[in-house]
Amino acid sequence: MQPPLLSCVAILQLFALCCCPTDLLAQFTPSQEQGLAQAMPFYKAAMELAAQQKYDEAATVMAKVLEITRETFGKEHGAVAGKCLDLASLLDHAGQFNQALTYYEESLRLNLKFFGPNHEAIAETRRVYGICLTNAGNLREARSELVHAAKVAEIVYGKDSIEYPRFLNDLGYCFVRSGDWDRGEEYYRECLALRLKQVDCAPLALSTTHNNLGDVLTKRCDYANARSQFDRAIEILRNDDVVSSKLSIANTTNNIGFLYRKQGDLKSAITWYDESLAKYLAILPATHPTVAGVLLNKATCLLMQGKYQECVPNLASALTIFVSANGPNHPTVASVLSVFSQLQFNAGEYRDAVEMSKRVAAIRRSTVGNEHPDTKFAIYEVALASLYLGNTSDAERAFTEAESGLLVALNESSTELASVHFGVGTFFASQNRVERALESFDRGQKVIAKNMADVLPGLPQIEQNTYFSTLSLSVNQSLAFALAHSDQQSVVDASYEWLANNKSIVQQSVGRQLRLVNLASKNNLTATRLVEVRQHMSSLALTEATDDTRQDHQLTLNKLIDEESNLTRQLTRDFGFPVKAESWLKLSAIRKLIPGDTVVVDFARVTPSQFQADQHEYIVGEDRYVAWIAPPLNKGSVRLVDLGPAEAIDLLIGRIRMRIQSDGDENGIIETKGESIAATALNNGLRKLRDLIWTPLNLDADDSKGSNFFSRKQSLVGALV
């Protein structure tokens, strides 16, 4: 979202200076009238260039207007405030955020001098200044400025005005950019509630709010509700023939593409991106920067699919358009070059990837500043490519700068931040700096835990599975690190703390959902319907569809899944029961909870993976089952035990389960040969399983002799049931 090209304040001041009645114009001196006449052609030229989206050129011309205005009226005149705002807006559109901020600040200072703190001009100037601060990455200052703008707007416009919801919408945008999705969603919903009450609310404004709400819900992995908001945004404008409405629908269609990309459904994402392109191209020229943005999104999906030959033409087209429209040092150009660097990285062209990533970082620094998250992510890409190139000293500097910078810039539950922590941990592990690697892995695990606490409680089961799949690779990196360093007690202790806490959050979420469903006993209609829907889903899942009924069967199941999703979230909104991220327990606190005569055994399936510094590549091994054995506090140490290849254990468990099932069949061994023969045959398999799982646990060791045994299994859940 960008600030308006010509703000309300600038329009008022331009009107006062250039379109006033003759008697007011007579108040100007002849030299001032001459200055106005001299500035007007430049002003019109700047506006014409802006209409062509040539913002860099327009800003250069507007700077001449500002120079003439200062010479004509003096640096402290109200006319200067208006021209500063115009120039700031053009620089903002050109992506030159830091330069724009200078002129926004001067405009705000002058307007405060002329109008005082509570005036429309102050509300509007603070609003566009806050948005520019957001785009520049000064997120804390941006939040403060936009909150201040909203307070002034409440005073001068009133909460029931048409203007006030805009300020809430901008606050939502800022908080979402900050990674604080809760606050962002809160402001978007407040904005939507006000606009729904307004009889004269423009359909485009209402549709935009639904679209923005869908965007933040997508980021929260609340896919069903996000899609519902996007569909509503499109429906509001479906019969509107105005160009701005058609452009808004194209934008929403593009956002639906991002929704499917987040879910990992890249084929559907590309279909929606293609539809968005078609809608834009029906209105805009093929060289429009908005078209380039969708081409970039499509190229990113093709890269993720490994379709490099299809990816390159889309990237090249986007780059050509952005450079032509914005110049070679614009943030949009950096976004395209970033994908090019990933393409080079995936192709093993690490030297080229390093140089491209450095160029991206340079553009980011010059446009949004060194502390912006986009700049730090570019530095992180430099680190990754340097690592594969073997430049470990360069990689370490870049990894450290990126991690420390993003710790400050991003919300503490951001999955992007977690990925950086895990990447940095993997680097230090490859250098055998185990304690430093452990520090980053520990940070990453705690970020993931906070994210799960934020996101997981409101997700239905089917979307929980999708959500977990997006986290599995990152979480596995830290557990694989623990497996590789199981001889170091500090690593074993930390890894058990990660596992225990993350499982606890998942179990809290399950318990919370059960409590929600139990509301059905209190005649809650939503909960009652949820029970009915889940029963129907279970019935369908156990019913084998024929060729004739398979399509209807699947359609019915899909509708039930959507309804279950909406009902679950409705109960969450109505009754809460949130999981508290602050409930992270230290290992000592966890072990204090274990009874004195008990040991706890946790299992996880881990894919061994390690970056080999000497070979400059990841080495990935077969999946293995790993067990953590935790005795009570002061009764020995936590142990990590490698149980061996997961495939062999899974195969044996599968055979045992099949035997149990077949033995109980009508013509099974129990029926034909008796229970004794069946038990003997079954025990042979169970003894083999004992040798694979139980014996390596060594639960007869001195620290756990005579103890009770409590097991929490992850991938082995219910394996023998």
Side-chain angles (χ1 to χ4, degrees):
M1 180 174 62
Q2 291 282 357
L5 181 59
L6 191 60
S7 72
C8 173
V9 184
I11 292 172
L12 288 172
Q13 292 170 335
L14 179 62
F15 180 87
L17 287 172
C18 305
C19 305
C20 290
T22 306
D23 59 335
L24 275 180
L25 282 174
Q27 297 176 16
F28 294 127
T29 65
S31 63
Q32 288 175 335
E33 290 181 7
Q34 185 179 357
L36 283 172
Q38 183 185 356
M40 185 54 67
F42 290 105
Y43 186 86
K44 289 180 178 178
M47 291 297 98
E48 288 173 3
L49 288 167
Q52 300 170 42
Q53 298 191 337
K54 297 179 179 179
Y55 299 118
D56 280 315
E57 296 177 43
T60 301
V61 178
M62 188 61 75
K64 181 65 175 176
V65 176
L66 176 60
E67 179 186 341
I68 295 171
T69 305
R70 283 172 171 164
E71 291 174 354
T72 302
F73 295 97
K75 293 182 179 180
E76 296 298 308
H77 196 277
V80 174
K83 294 303 159 284
C84 284
L85 201 59
D86 291 340
L87 179 54
S89 181
L90 291 168
L91 290 167
D92 200 341
H93 277 74
Q96 299 178 38
F97 302 125
N98 290 322
Q99 292 184 51
L101 289 173
T102 300
Y103 293 103
Y104 278 131
E105 288 163 3
E106 185 175 353
S107 178
L108 179 60
R109 179 184 66 80
L110 291 171
N111 280 328
L112 283 168
K113 176 180 176 181
F114 300 128
F115 298 114
N118 297 322
H119 189 277
E120 292 176 13
I122 303 304
E124 297 294 345
T125 306
R126 286 193 184 281
R127 186 179 75 84
V128 291
Y129 177 43
I131 294 170
C132 187
L133 284 166
T134 303
N135 292 332
N138 302 340
L139 299 173
R140 289 182 175 83
E141 190 177 347
R143 289 194 294 267
S144 174
E145 201 63 50
L146 289 169
V147 167
H148 198 158
K151 289 178 179 177
V152 177
E154 184 178 351
I155 294 170
V156 300
Y157 294 130
K159 279 193 171 183
D160 295 330
S161 66
I162 289 293
E163 290 84 1
Y164 182 69
R166 284 188 293 117
F167 293 82
L168 298 177
N169 188 73
D170 296 335
L171 273 166
Y173 168 71
C174 180
F175 276 96
V176 170
R177 281 292 300 270
S178 304
D180 190 342
W181 299 332
D182 285 339
R183 292 292 298 281
E185 181 180 349
E186 179 184 324
Y187 280 115
Y188 281 147
R189 288 195 181 279
E190 187 178 352
C191 174
L192 180 61
L194 289 175
R195 283 179 167 166
L196 286 171
K197 291 178 182 178
Q198 295 172 343
V199 178
D200 53 349
C201 178
L204 181 59
L206 186 59
S207 175
T208 299
T209 309
H210 281 292
N211 183 48
N212 290 340
L213 188 53
D215 179 59
V216 69
L217 291 171
T218 299
K219 289 179 169 64
R220 294 185 62 111
C221 303
D222 191 348
Y223 301 124
N225 271 343
R227 182 58 194 273
S228 176
Q229 293 294 334
F230 289 142
D231 289 345
R232 181 63 184 139
I234 292 173
E235 187 61 33
I236 290 170
L237 301 178
R238 190 177 298 281
N239 298 319
D240 197 337
D241 233 9
V242 180
V243 170
S244 58
S245 297
K246 291 182 177 180
L247 290 172
S248 182
I249 290 175
N251 179 42
T252 302
T253 305
N254 179 62
N255 286 346
I256 294 174
F258 178 67
L259 181 150
Y260 280 102
R261 180 171 129 198
K262 277 275 290 181
Q263 288 180 287
D265 186 351
L266 300 178
K267 182 178 179 181
S268 294
I270 290 173
T271 299
W272 281 96
Y273 286 142
D274 283 338
E275 184 174 339
S276 178
L277 275 173
K279 291 181 183 299
Y280 276 129
L281 289 172
I283 305 167
L284 303 174
T287 55
H288 196 283
T290 303
V291 173
V294 185
L295 288 171
L296 175 59
N297 290 337
K298 180 180 177 181
T300 302
C301 281
L302 291 167
L303 174 68
M304 294 169 71
Q305 287 182 317
K307 297 180 178 179
Y308 303 145
Q309 290 185 339
E310 295 178 49
C311 172
V312 170
N314 286 277
L315 273 183
S317 297
L319 183 61
T320 301
I321 295 169
F322 281 140
V323 170
S324 176
N326 303 324
N329 297 314
H330 192 272
T332 54
V333 174
S335 296
V336 180
L337 297 181
S338 176
V339 179
F340 265 121
S341 73
Q342 294 174 47
L343 190 63
Q344 292 168 328
F345 183 90
N346 291 353
E349 299 169 357
Y350 304 127
R351 193 174 302 279
D352 291 338
V354 167
E355 294 307 312
M356 187 70 78
S357 297
K358 286 181 178 178
R359 185 178 169 190
V360 172
I363 295 174
R364 298 293 192 198
R365 283 193 181 99
S366 67
T367 55
V368 297
N370 195 53
E371 302 309 313
H372 194 282
D374 290 345
T375 304
K376 298 305 181 185
F377 276 119
I379 293 169
Y380 180 70
E381 290 175 358
V382 172
L384 283 176
S386 298
L387 175 60
Y388 276 81
L389 198 58
N391 297 337
T392 54
S393 58
D394 290 347
E396 180 174 347
R397 281 194 298 271
F399 273 129
T400 302
E401 180 182 351
E403 184 178 38
S404 60
L406 290 170
L407 268 172
V408 175
L410 293 181
N411 182 273
E412 59 185 4
S413 65
S414 165
T415 53
E416 290 85 358
L417 177 59
S419 296
V420 171
H421 285 317
F422 290 135
V424 175
T426 299
F427 164 72
F428 282 110
S430 73
Q431 305 302 304
N432 292 319
R433 294 170 62 179
V434 177
E435 290 304 317
R436 179 61 183 85
L438 181 60
E439 178 185 334
S440 287
F441 281 124
D442 189 64
R443 287 173 175 171
Q445 283 286 347
K446 287 173 180 173
V447 172
I448 289 293
K450 289 181 182 294
N451 186 267
M452 286 199 298
D454 288 344
V455 173
L456 196 58
L459 293 183
Q461 185 61 50
I462 191 167
E463 292 187 21
Q464 287 186 18
N465 295 338
T466 302
Y467 171 74
F468 284 133
S469 69
T470 64
L471 300 180
S472 59
L473 180 60
S474 294
V475 172
N476 181 80
Q477 282 180 283
S478 53
L479 296 183
F481 165 74
L483 177 59
H485 298 88
S486 59
D487 58 333
Q488 300 199 34
Q489 192 60 47
S490 61
V491 176
V492 173
D493 288 347
S495 63
Y496 183 67
E497 186 176 301
W498 305 334
L499 196 68
N501 276 280
N502 286 335
K503 285 188 175 183
S504 174
I505 291 171
V506 173
Q507 289 164 358
Q508 285 183 62
S509 176
V510 171
R512 186 202 57 77
Q513 289 201 356
L514 290 174
R515 290 176 65 192
L516 288 176
V517 175
N518 286 339
L519 291 170
S521 62
K522 300 178 182 179
N523 296 319
N524 180 277
L525 296 179
T526 306
T528 301
R529 177 57 185 161
L530 180 58
V531 171
E532 293 172 353
V533 167
R534 287 179 172 171
Q535 288 174 342
H536 194 176
M537 289 172 64
S538 298
S539 176
L540 280 177
L542 295 172
T543 303
E544 186 173 353
T546 65
D547 290 340
D548 294 335
T549 63
R550 185 166 288 108
Q551 186 173 358
D552 290 341
H553 183 276
Q554 190 60 50
L555 285 173
T556 302
L557 186 58
N558 289 342
K559 287 180 180 178
L560 290 171
I561 289 171
D562 287 343
E563 186 176 2
E564 191 243 3
S565 174
N566 291 328
L567 289 169
T568 299
R569 291 190 179 86
Q570 184 62 50
L571 283 176
T572 301
R573 285 195 294 270
D574 291 347
F575 296 96
F577 305 138
V579 173
K580 298 295 184 183
E582 299 79 28
S583 59
W584 181 278
L585 293 177
K586 292 288 187 182
L587 179 62
S588 58
I590 295 170
R591 294 180 63 189
K592 281 181 181 178
L593 299 174
I594 301 174
D597 59 347
T598 302
V599 294
V600 176
V601 181
D602 269 298
F603 296 90
R605 187 182 183 119
V606 178
T607 304
S609 59
Q610 200 170 6
F611 186 83
Q612 297 292 336
D614 56 340
Q615 300 177 45
H616 311 312
E617 64 177 350
Y618 271 100
I619 306 298
V620 179
E622 301 177 50
D623 284 10
R624 306 180 78 81
Y625 278 119
V626 180
W628 284 259
I629 305 165
L633 192 63
N634 300 322
K635 289 197 174 182
S637 301
V638 177
R639 291 188 290 127
L640 186 155
V641 180
D642 181 359
L643 299 177
E647 184 178 0
I649 295 173
D650 288 343
L651 184 62
L652 184 54
I653 290 173
R655 288 174 179 169
I656 292 171
R657 295 183 68 180
M658 287 180 62
R659 175 169 288 281
I660 292 172
Q661 183 176 354
S662 62
D663 285 356
D665 288 345
E666 185 175 348
N667 296 317
I669 294 179
I670 294 176
E671 181 70 26
T672 58
K673 298 184 179 180
E675 290 187 10
S676 177
I677 300 297
T680 300
L682 180 61
N683 284 335
N684 289 332
L686 290 173
R687 276 191 289 271
K688 293 178 182 178
L689 187 60
R690 176 200 63 194
D691 293 340
L692 287 176
I693 298 177
W694 189 266
T695 302
L697 295 180
N698 192 22
L699 293 178
D700 291 329
D702 291 340
D703 62 344
S704 58
K705 187 176 292 184
S707 296
N708 293 319
F709 167 63
F710 176 68
S711 169
R712 298 192 301 178
K713 308 177 180 69
Q714 183 167 320
S715 296
L716 294 172
V717 171
L720 297 177
V721 176

